[in-house]
Amino acid sequence: MKILAIETSCDETAVAILEATPNVKVGAGGSKRDPKFRVLSHIISSQVKIHTKFGGVVPNLARREHEKNLALILVQALKESTLYKRAPQGATSAQRQEEIAAILEREQDLFAHLKKIIVPLAIPDIDAIAVTYGPGLAPALWVGVNFAKALSCLWDKPLVPVNHMAGHFYSALIKMKKEKDAWKAAYKKISFPALALLVSGAHTELVFIKKHGDFQIIGQTLDDAAGEAFDKVARMLGFGYPGGPAISKLADSFRHPDPSADGEGSQTQILRSAQNDKIYFPRPMIASKNYDFSFSGLKTAVLYFIRGIEKTHLIKKLRPAIAREFQNAVVDVLVTKTIRAAKEFSVKTVTLGGGVAANEMLRRELARAVKKELPDSNIRFPDSSLTGDNGLMIAMAAYFCGKKTSPDKVQADANVTL
Ligand code: KG4
Ligand code: ZN
């Protein structure tokens, strides 16, 4: 089965084509437990350069870029996967074209592209079109959803709406392998029940998963998401969007002071004490009995600390120490609560997903804690190329728990939960 997946929930325009072959020998009824995957195409076009100067993702700019790029990326994906063929002229009826025009009524540029470069193609050999319908930025989601609906209508293929956070969960179960020039994707088997820590720019969730598709959120952030806190602290320290990579790089650059460095002035004192681990930021809700999170107080603590040293002009020198302690605080809270939940729910697998899963310290500490405190459980991380938003994770989620739906029933839903 070949799944074409489209992801436009935020600032990446992503298209993937995944071929899945279920292993019929395992389990009853052609089990999905041990499928073989082949990545026919996996394209991510990032808009990050466009949004950086605004300090965050601007929804209408994201929408415009998706609209500009989607049809072109789809053509590229079809070519890559050798599913690209031109059709004899006039293969699409006028009525079909009118239906598509109605679906893309608000995406006139996208409609024009589609008409010019997609309509002349032969129907590709795919079995379903998966699309992220939420959560995310509404204007960005709508472009992807309407594009997928138009394709579904044009090619007569079923549509599978996918929850973006389910995609982030499945990103931990794909192992990318390049063989010769082709990507293979090994499926990392998972034992249920599982617990997923999903940490992205807009979400921080602990999700209990009994089996494929059976998600239960047991805790989430009450205010800022972990990624959002990284982005905001990065901005306070003078870095652009996205802030996560900048903070983790800074934190890694931290060095304890050279004990032979001399100087007794107040500046040296402040610098020394900061570099001697004397900066301390709170670990909000680390001891609370529930599995919720809160990162807004931590962000404010960083802000007050920065204001407190403003007059010393030491901010540049202290940036690595601040970043390190901030990252320590976030990782401490995330790891502590994940381990506690994993124990209480007796899970067999802990998984990590979402943009913040790129954070090396979080990966390291979570792996260490699972090994030490839950020696009978496994841990699954996404490959570093799959931590951000991508189409493959949407295709995987569609394969394992998607439901084919008629296009007129699919709507973007910016606030949908798992
Ligand atoms: O999942 P994602 O790509 O988009 C959303 O669905 O939100 O997550 C983006 C978030 C941003 O907040 C970004 O700063 C954060 O992931 N991020 C990181 C790192 N790389 C990206 N946070 C911490 N450390 C990183 N290395
Ligand atoms: Zn995401």
Side-chain angles (χ1 to χ4, degrees):
M1 133 175 247
K2 295 191 192 96
I3 303 171
L4 164 71
I6 296 166
E7 153 67 44
T8 65
S9 67
C10 192
D11 60 340
E12 335 275 353
T13 316
V15 173
I17 303 175
L18 181 72
E19 183 177 40
T21 315
N23 184 347
V24 285
K25 278 184 241 136
V26 183
S31 169
K32 290 184 169 176
R33 272 194 284 162
D34 190 18
K36 296 274 174 285
F37 289 115
R38 212 153 62 93
V39 178
L40 303 185
S41 180
H42 168 41
I43 303 171
I44 304 169
S45 165
S46 173
Q47 307 172 359
V48 74
K49 281 199 187 120
I50 291 161
H51 300 284
T52 291
K53 50 182 173 288
F54 299 98
V57 180
V58 184
N60 273 322
L61 278 185
R63 175 206 143 92
R64 195 190 69 188
E65 289 304 304
H66 290 315
E67 211 183 319
K68 217 159 77 185
N69 296 327
L70 260 175
L72 293 168
I73 294 176
L74 175 63
V75 165
Q76 196 188 335
L78 292 172
K79 282 185 175 163
E80 254 180 35
S81 53
T82 64
L83 298 173
Y84 181 93
K85 279 185 203 75
R86 293 188 73 85
Q89 270 204 336
T92 308
S93 69
Q95 193 199 339
R96 242 327 116 93
Q97 294 209 34
E98 267 171 39
E99 282 167 31
I100 294 164
I103 294 169
L104 292 175
E105 197 189 349
R106 291 200 226 144
E107 288 86 13
Q108 285 296 320
D109 286 351
L110 185 54
F111 176 64
H113 282 167
L114 187 113
K115 206 168 158 190
K116 190 162 165 218
I117 60 177
I118 309 284
V119 169
L121 302 183
I123 298 176
D125 171 25
I126 55 165
D127 299 281
I129 300 167
V131 65
T132 303
Y133 74 104
L137 303 169
L141 286 165
W142 271 115
V143 185
V145 166
N146 284 339
F147 185 57
K149 282 185 179 197
L151 293 177
S152 162
C153 172
L154 176 67
W155 294 334
D156 237 337
K157 302 284 180 187
L159 202 56
V160 181
V162 172
N163 183 301
H164 181 76
M165 300 313 285
H168 276 307
F169 165 65
Y170 281 102
S171 70
L173 307 186
I174 319 172
K175 176 141 195 61
M176 298 288 279
K177 285 195 294 186
K178 197 155 198 179
E179 275 179 17
K180 293 188 186 132
D181 269 343
W183 280 107
K184 284 218 155 185
Y187 168 57
K188 300 188 221 165
K189 276 188 212 166
I190 182 167
S191 304
F192 291 109
L195 179 76
L197 171 64
L198 302 180
V199 268
S200 70
H203 292 84
T204 301
E205 293 171 350
L206 273 172
V207 186
F208 178 64
I209 305 150
K210 253 195 225 150
K211 57 182 190 321
H212 284 298
D214 186 345
F215 301 103
Q216 184 197 343
I217 297 176
I218 59 165
Q220 58 192 313
T221 184
L222 304 177
D223 41 57
D224 291 353
E228 192 180 352
F230 269 93
D231 294 335
K232 287 178 176 168
V233 167
R235 205 179 315 158
M236 292 175 206
L237 294 176
F239 293 90
Y241 174 85
I247 294 283
S248 59
K249 214 165 136 202
L250 259 186
D252 289 347
S253 75
F254 174 86
R255 296 286 173 272
H256 279 94
D258 175 0
S260 64
D262 52 299
E264 287 303 321
S266 66
Q267 292 222 345
T268 315
Q269 295 291 324
I270 293 171
L271 197 57
R272 278 240 180 95
S273 82
Q275 290 174 329
N276 276 321
D277 294 330
K278 298 267 171 56
I279 297 183
Y280 178 81
F281 295 138
R283 271 75 175 150
M285 298 185 76
I286 197 165
S288 68
K289 292 223 167 67
N290 55 30
Y291 296 112
D292 289 334
F293 301 93
S294 162
F295 292 105
S296 148
L298 169 60
K299 169 197 73 188
T300 311
V302 178
L303 180 68
Y304 286 165
F305 180 83
I306 292 172
R307 282 200 189 143
I309 57 162
E310 231 157 27
K311 291 204 182 88
T312 66
H313 303 293
L314 279 173
I315 183 71
K316 250 199 163 146
K317 283 193 181 152
L318 285 180
R319 282 197 311 201
I322 296 169
R324 193 179 83 135
E325 173 56 8
F326 164 75
Q327 183 173 275
N328 282 346
V330 175
V331 170
D332 248 6
V333 176
L334 291 175
V335 171
T336 304
K337 299 199 91 158
T338 304
I339 296 295
R340 194 141 43 79
K343 282 183 179 167
E344 186 183 318
F345 286 78
S346 305
V347 300
K348 293 188 179 146
T349 313
V350 175
T351 75
L352 180 66
V356 184
N359 190 280
E360 285 297 335
M361 185 190 178
L362 176 59
R363 293 165 85 100
R364 200 171 56 236
E365 292 305 316
L366 191 59
R368 189 180 299 169
V370 168
K371 200 168 165 202
K372 182 165 169 244
E373 311 236 4
L374 301 148
D376 298 328
S377 303
N378 299 306
I379 179 123
R380 298 275 181 264
F381 296 133
D383 282 14
S384 52
S385 63
L386 296 177
T387 55
D389 297 341
N390 64 83
L392 265 190
M393 69 183 196
I394 302 304
M396 285 279 285
Y399 176 76
F400 281 106
C401 56
K403 290 192 177 62
K404 291 178 181 167
T405 316
S406 102
D408 52 306
K409 297 219 169 66
V410 181
Q411 304 271 334
D413 184 346
N415 302 312
V416 66
T417 56
L418 265 174

